[in-house]
Amino acid sequence: MASVALSEAEKVYIVHGVQEDLRVDGRGCEDYRCVEVETDVVSNTSGSARVKLGHTDILVGVKAEMGTPKLEKPNEGYLEFFVDCSANATPEFEGRGGDDLGTEIANTLYRIFNNKSSVDLKSLCISPREHCWILYVDVLLLECGGNLFDTISIAVKAALFNTRIPRVRVLEDEEGSKDIELSDDPYDCIRLSVEHVPCIVTLCKIGYRHVVDATLQEEACSLASLLVSVTSKGVVTCMRKVGKGSLDPESIFEMMETGKRVGKVLHASLQSILHKEESLGPKRQKVGFLG
Amino acid sequence: MAMEMRLPVARKPLSESLDRDTKKHLVVPGDTITTDTGFMRGHGTYMGEEKLIASVAGSVERVNKLICVKALKTRYNGEVGDIVVGRITEVQQKRWKVETNSRLDSVLLLSSMNLPGGELRRRSAEDELAMRGFLQEGDLISGVLVQVSPSLVKRQKTHFHDLPCGASVILGTNGFIWIYPTPGHKEEDAGGLTANLEPVSLADREVISRLRNCIVSLVTQRMMLYDTSILYCYEASLPHQIKDILKPEVMEEIVMETRQRLLEQEG
């Protein structure tokens, strides 16, 4: 993770501030920085989203390709995640420096999506045991400003919401061989339901309290963090502890409750902003990267 | 708890919101400044194909026969007499390496440090061994550091300001700005190297956070930083909550008000 050098006095200042619920930029312990979401920024993908949270900038692209289903799940399609930590984000990511962080984030994404209800994988099946849709989700880290996991999960959810998979029909020949026909209308596509897609809420333990949406400086003061993956109904799908410090079981429980509470509000805001963007229709002015 | 999501909005060009009499001549690397060969070449320009071409992105400044291009975003270039704020990155024999947002790391020699107690003597071997006790990697005194572009800090007579709102600010010309609570009474005898680890009061904290957000908003709107602009921005931000200052529309409103007050003061 990108690190920033801080003196003992600065760390003490941050820790005392968190105790009094007044962080360096004036936020409370459960406040997020302002989030900017935009979907459909990359034209040659099936779905894409760009999310900016303070100084953290993430771009996600989803490409739908046809392939064979996995042997143990012949009636379902699946998702493949790949995370690229670009050297633009911080010089530490140059060369192979960003690979470790990339695999860590990808593994976390696999874990949170590894359950029956997150994404309806049966809808991705075209013909059992033969053809299915594989969604390749590529995450690109453009800038690293703290709180990567939350931003990535918001961006993945927004990109999946924006994904449009072309509608296909399987035609049976007289000889029994199957043919796949793509519909003529380019706008005839199926959309994924992202109602149960979870989002990650990172809770960093600083001093005796925990904060949501930590900046790079705050992350440097925290010894342990809890990543909680929450759905829109407040159901926890997976939990993970990061950091070299230890966490008391009681504080884990408190942090989980905070995570559920914050997660529900996060989902509600994300849902409303995605619907608002969609209601603007195709005439919406795209800001993209040159705005 | 607060959670705000919004759709991105394209940035408005600044010149629409200001009325400038003299338009700045902005250039990018490769732009021709002039084909007149009578001018002397200054920083940021070079002669190519009988034309004066810019080598950095910035505004053209002309002083009689000298043309130079002042870059908008650069690393810090030191000048004699500048006040800088730095972060210690390494401890070496008889000196410290300091990070000052310049092209190369800066060096602070042991012989130029004021010893505790204000003594004046030759630095001995014991002083060398005690270096780590004076200043260690990552050291600074209690407060908040804001990093901005060096080109936005206005050069003034003094860079240490005690603002009336209750905090003090050191505007380093290298773009490092240090905000700290105003000390109750000045301690002259400690030699200037005390680590103050007392907890800062909530009221002071609010002032410091507000100042930090004001400085960040001034920088985002590319305004020059000096004590008056920071103070006017602070006063303009008082009706808003501290965490709201960083919202784009509140930021614009505050900086617009600051700009107007500064223009009124000049005129």
Side-chain angles (χ1 to χ4, degrees), chain B residues 112-133:
Chain B
S112 38
M113 279 290 261
N114 294 332
L115 287 168
E119 315 164 34
L120 295 172
R121 56 174 168 80
R122 206 152 175 189
R123 311 292 186 262
S124 62
E126 282 113 22
D127 287 319
E128 249 185 89
L129 294 169
M131 270 175 84
R132 217 164 251 278

Side-chain angles (χ1 to χ4, degrees), chain B residues 99-243:
Chain B
E99 146 84 51
T100 49
N101 198 20
S102 40
R103 289 202 188 91
L104 304 166
D105 272 338
S106 314
V107 159
L108 176 62
L109 297 172
L110 176 62
S111 45
S112 38
M113 279 290 261
N114 294 332
L115 287 168
E119 315 164 34
L120 295 172
R121 56 174 168 80
R122 206 152 175 189
R123 311 292 186 262
S124 62
E126 282 113 22
D127 287 319
E128 249 185 89
L129 294 169
M131 270 175 84
R132 217 164 251 278
F134 293 159
L135 285 179
Q136 261 195 313
E137 280 95 334
D139 256 13
L140 280 176
I141 49 169
S142 173
V144 173
L145 184 75
V146 185
Q147 282 177 254
V148 308
S149 169
S151 47
L152 289 171
V153 181
K154 193 168 176 176
R155 275 180 165 71
Q156 284 188 289
K157 249 196 204 162
T158 167
H159 289 259
F160 294 80
H161 304 289
D162 280 339
L163 298 175
C165 41
S168 301
V169 80
I170 302 180
L171 296 165
T173 37
N174 58 335
F176 282 16
I177 298 179
W178 184 246
I179 315 171
Y180 60 105
T182 311
H185 60 100
K186 296 268 184 236
E187 293 199 21
E188 293 295 338
D189 50 335
L193 268 183
T194 44
N196 189 8
L197 289 176
E198 286 168 12
V200 179
S201 72
L202 189 60
D204 279 343
R205 244 174 227 286
E206 287 187 354
V207 171
I208 292 178
S209 298
R210 197 175 275 278
L211 274 174
R212 180 211 172 261
N213 285 356
C214 287
I215 292 178
V216 169
S217 27
L218 285 170
V219 165
T220 323
Q221 303 283 326
R222 310 295 302 180
M223 290 254 332
M224 289 298 277
L225 287 172
Y226 49 106
D227 55 346
T228 327
S229 69
I230 297 176
L231 193 60
Y232 284 174
C233 194
Y234 178 84
E235 285 166 11
S237 76
L238 283 171
H240 303 274
Q241 272 202 321
I242 307 176
K243 55 187 170 188

Side-chain angles (χ1 to χ4, degrees), chain A residues 5-7 9-10 12-13 16-17 20 22-27 30-38 154 262 265-266 269-270 273 276-277 280 287 291, chain B residues 1-11 87 138-145 178 197-202 205-206 208-209 212-213 242-243 246 248:
Chain A
L6 278 187
S7 66
E10 279 172 293
V12 165
Y13 184 85
H16 285 159
E20 302 183 23
L22 183 69
R23 289 150 84 171
V24 170
D25 49 4
R27 287 184 289 154
E30 294 184 9
D31 291 334
Y32 267 87
R33 287 170 283 181
C34 193
V35 185
E36 266 185 26
V37 179
E38 199 187 357
I154 295 175
V262 170
V265 179
L266 180 72
S269 322
L270 182 61
I273 201 78
K276 180 175 162 197
E277 201 191 25
L280 290 174
V287 174
Chain B
M1 65 146 290
M3 169 96 224
E4 201 207 319
M5 291 216 187
R6 49 175 68 205
L7 297 172
V9 176
R11 273 193 301 245
R87 195 186 275 283
D139 256 13
L140 280 176
I141 49 169
S142 173
V144 173
L145 184 75
W178 184 246
L197 289 176
E198 286 168 12
V200 179
S201 72
L202 189 60
R205 244 174 227 286
E206 287 187 354
I208 292 178
S209 298
R212 180 211 172 261
N213 285 356
I242 307 176
K243 55 187 170 188
L246 294 173

